[in-house]
């Protein structure tokens, strides 16, 4: 799971896919941002989670901002165990760059 090889600039779209290829159902998929569980009210900050069937979920950010920088984790659990995938998002923008004035 990765946000890709290129830097993410402020205003760019970013997304992750969490998919269970093998495993008995029921499978529970959960997203975490900087160690805290994703909450639906985070959609107000531009972070959306959409479940696609029993074994797939997408996290998307339509217009990234510096505040979206952090670690994103998807956890898949079922009766047999748990699997975790993580990705780090670094947003490059006005809040994270500096300039000098002559």
């Amino acid at each position: 799971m990765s946000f890709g090889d290129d830097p993410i600039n402020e205003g760019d779209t970013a997304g992750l896919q969490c998919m269970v290829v093998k495993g008995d159902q029921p499978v529970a998929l959960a997203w975490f941002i900087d160690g805290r569980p994703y909450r639906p009210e985070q959609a107000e900050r531009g972070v959306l989670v959409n479940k696609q069937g029993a074994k797939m979920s997408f996290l998307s950010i339509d217009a990234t901002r510096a505040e979206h920088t952090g670690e994103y984790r998807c956890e898949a659990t079922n009766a047999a165990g748990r699997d975790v995938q993580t990705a780090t998002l670094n947003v490059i923008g006005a809040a994270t760059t500096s300039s000098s004035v002559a």
Side-chain angles (χ1 to χ4, degrees):
M1 188 166 79
S2 165
F3 283 103
D5 296 329
D6 296 329
I8 303 289
N9 293 308
E10 201 166 63
D12 286 353
T13 299
L16 294 171
Q17 175 181 311
C18 183
M19 181 171 57
V20 177
V21 178
K22 293 181 181 182
D24 295 333
Q25 291 196 40
V27 174
L29 296 174
W31 288 96
F32 295 81
I33 302 171
D34 289 330
R36 294 181 298 272
Y38 172 84
R39 296 177 321 277
E41 56 267 19
Q42 287 176 292
E44 295 171 9
R45 289 184 44 231
V47 181
L48 303 172
V49 168
N50 295 306
K51 190 170 181 181
Q52 302 291 314
K55 295 183 176 184
M56 190 178 321
S57 181
F58 295 95
L59 181 141
S60 63
I61 305 169
D62 285 335
T64 57
R65 299 185 300 270
E67 71 182 75
H68 294 125
T69 294
E71 181 185 83
Y72 292 75
R73 182 175 81 225
C74 179
E75 291 186 8
T77 56
N78 67 7
R82 177 175 80 119
D83 189 24
V84 176
Q85 297 289 318
T86 61
T88 300
L89 176 63
N90 292 306
V91 179
I92 301 167
T96 59
T97 60
S98 63
S99 61
S100 59
V101 177

